[in-house]
Amino acid sequence: MGAIRLCSRSACRNSAVATLTYVYADSTAVLGPLATYAEPHCYDLCEQHAGSLTVPRGWEVLRLAMPATPAGPGPDDLLALANAVREAASRPPASETNQGQRSAHPALEAPAAAEGTRRGHLRILREPS
C-alpha cells in the first residue's frame, strides 16, 4: 500500500483529499476526488486548499462530487489481498526454486601475486611467455 499523499501546495503538510487537473485547451480546471495514483501533471490538494481554489479570469471550474467519507477497502481490494497471500504461500521455498539454475559464486579472493608494474590502484600484468 502506498504512502499517504500530501497537499501539493508549498508549506502545506496536510493529507490530500482531491486532485486538480487543468485542461488548457478548454480553459477548464477539474477538481475531483483524489486520484488512484499521483500523476506528474496533476495537483493533489488538501480539504482547505481544494475549498479555496480560484482559477484565472475566463476559466471554468468543474467540481466533481467528492465522497463524504474516505473510501474503505472494498470487496475487490480484499479479494486481491487474499489472492496475493495465497500465491505467496503456494510458492516453493527459495532453496527449491534455485535447483537447475546456476549456483551462487563463492566469495571473491584477492588475485595471486603476479609480476607487473603498479601505477596507483591499477596493475599492468605481463603475458606469460
Side-chain angles (χ1 to χ4, degrees), residues 14-91:
N14 295 326
S15 60
V17 297
T19 299
L20 173 65
T21 307
Y22 291 107
V23 183
Y24 293 98
D26 298 333
S27 299
T28 305
V30 180
L31 183 66
L34 188 64
T36 306
Y37 56 92
E39 293 192 32
H41 301 291
C42 296
Y43 301 93
D44 296 333
L45 300 175
C46 65
E47 190 172 352
Q48 177 188 359
H49 288 117
S52 63
L53 174 71
T54 60
V55 294
R57 189 173 297 183
W59 280 58
E60 183 181 352
V61 178
L62 290 178
R63 293 182 186 267
L64 303 178
M66 300 290 284
T69 59
D76 291 338
D77 296 331
L78 295 175
L79 285 174
L81 179 60
N83 290 336
V85 169
R86 282 188 203 109
E87 181 181 330
S90 67
R91 289 186 190 146

